[in-house]
Amino acid sequence: MRVIGTAGHVDHGKSTLITALTGINPDRLKEEQEREMTIDLGFAWLTLPDGEEIGIVDVPGHRDFIENMLAGVGGIDAALLVIAADEGVMPQTREHLAILDLLQISAGLVVLTKIDLIDDPDWLELIESDVRQALKDTVLADAPVIRVSSRTKTGFPELLETLGLLLQERPTRLDLGRPRLPVDRVFSIPGFGTVVTGTLTDGRLNLGEEVVILPTGLRGRVRGLQTHKKKEEIALPGSRTAVNISGVNVDQITRGEVIAHPGQYQPTRMLDVRFRLLPDVSGPLRHAGEVKLFIGTSETIANVRLLGTEVLAAGQEGWLQLELRHPVVAVRGDRYILRRPSPGETLGGGIVVDPQPKRRHKRFDEAAIQSLEALAQGSPADVLVQTSLALGPAPVKEVVKRARLEALPQGRSAGDAGRGIQNAAAALEEALSSNQIIALEAGDPSPSSDLLIMAQIQWSMLKDQARQIVEAYHRNFPLRRGMPREELKSRLKLTPRVFNASVHKLAAEGVLTEAGSWVARAGHEIRFDSGQQAAVKRLAARF
């Protein structure tokens, strides 16, 4: 399941678009409906033409509510940047686009709304040209532009089809076995008690299990789970999830806190981060200044410690150590945004490199900076695993190439290229031996090999998915010998080569059996119930 979010200037038709697409008005507050302006986060969902159900987070576009926008945009898989055809690119269009760029939300499309108000085709071409210029050098530089009217629903089929194709190219959220749900809404339901909502990441939540609310440390139990108002036994990573928690009062949880399994996350008051200052900020970033940190759905004041430099000028990158007024939950690789408290301005953002620094760094300690750089880059094996996660099942040589482990920088010798190949081979051996990457096909997976490999985490997810699909098929059709291979391939959305390799490996691991055009659960047999067995005996007697 995926989650998309809106972005764009106030009154450009974000909420109207979502209402027209889903039939759900995301503006739930009385003040929002009276003023016809989104103030806080709104939520909806829809089913795409390919059958995938997606959640939607609708964010406010007014500059006064930019901090509410930041609480909703961090957990999305793709963005709908909404721009009104009668106004074009406006200030909050640019600020929201900068935020999407800083958060590296690269999947997205531009929705040019209100085209029913424009009679001149040349005007639409001019607006679209301006949009393309604004997108240049951002993560959405190549995003499709879809022209729609929420009033007449012109362009809706193309919008939904394009969105479906866009999401198909995005990897599904990984189940890392350590769920965390950053809370974006808290409320109470009579007879049920406290309910929190958010986008679940990094693992699944199960009905009845114990959870902890961080950073407070309060404990509760999952009394109920819902996704898009449907009751669930298990909430999966990537889904918009509502959790009914027993043992905790509604006034004991606030937006920005995190629901997790006990013992898996440790709140922190200090972060080591890589930071990029936006090129159009009003002034440089200086040491010891106060900023607002936005990470997940949380917001807190942070004191900036610049490392290795006295000041960061507009457009520059650098290392920061952030000392936080209130603890937050973060892991390495999380992205964040910094804003100036007053006057309000988005400064920039980046990536968390160390969420639990052991100490305050000396500002000009070269060893500390080199350590951060090494941590950010990771070992060659780490880089290979992360590249494999991004690519999914792929030939070894393609993963190695994308990981740039054999790159020969300009000005270096051929001997360096040889060492690059050795590094790639060593990284591959380490990733395979530690079971972080698995080989889908038999053979010697050397760096130049065409054999398919896959990250172990993704393989575990694929194995679970295949097992669940086949077992559900057996329950629905108990008298069939198995499930057609083509149907399973279609359900798993795999290429023929990856599917065939996966089925062979699943059979080798004793998960499935394969026979011709059928696959079945290992050990599956056609068994008659007592009534069916009696009918068979009667038929045999007649024969």
Side-chain angles (χ1 to χ4, degrees), residues 146-161:
I146 311 296
R147 302 176 181 183
V148 306
S149 165
S150 298
R151 186 176 63 84
T152 66
K153 298 193 175 181
T154 301
F156 274 28
E158 183 186 0
L159 171 59
L160 293 173
E161 182 181 359

Side-chain angles (χ1 to χ4, degrees), residues 391-457:
L391 286 177
V396 180
K397 62 184 181 182
E398 184 178 342
V399 179
V400 169
K401 180 181 178 182
R402 287 286 293 272
R404 299 177 62 82
L405 296 178
E406 294 186 37
L408 178 61
Q410 258 188 340
R412 294 195 176 184
S413 69
D416 289 324
R419 283 190 287 274
I421 294 171
Q422 291 173 2
N423 287 340
L428 182 61
E429 183 179 356
E430 180 183 340
L432 288 167
S433 62
S434 64
N435 207 34
Q436 296 181 80
I437 286 179
I438 57 103
L440 281 180
E441 297 172 323
D444 176 24
S446 65
S448 59
S449 166
D450 196 44
L451 294 175
L452 289 174
I453 59 173
M454 187 178 188
Q456 172 62 42
I457 293 172

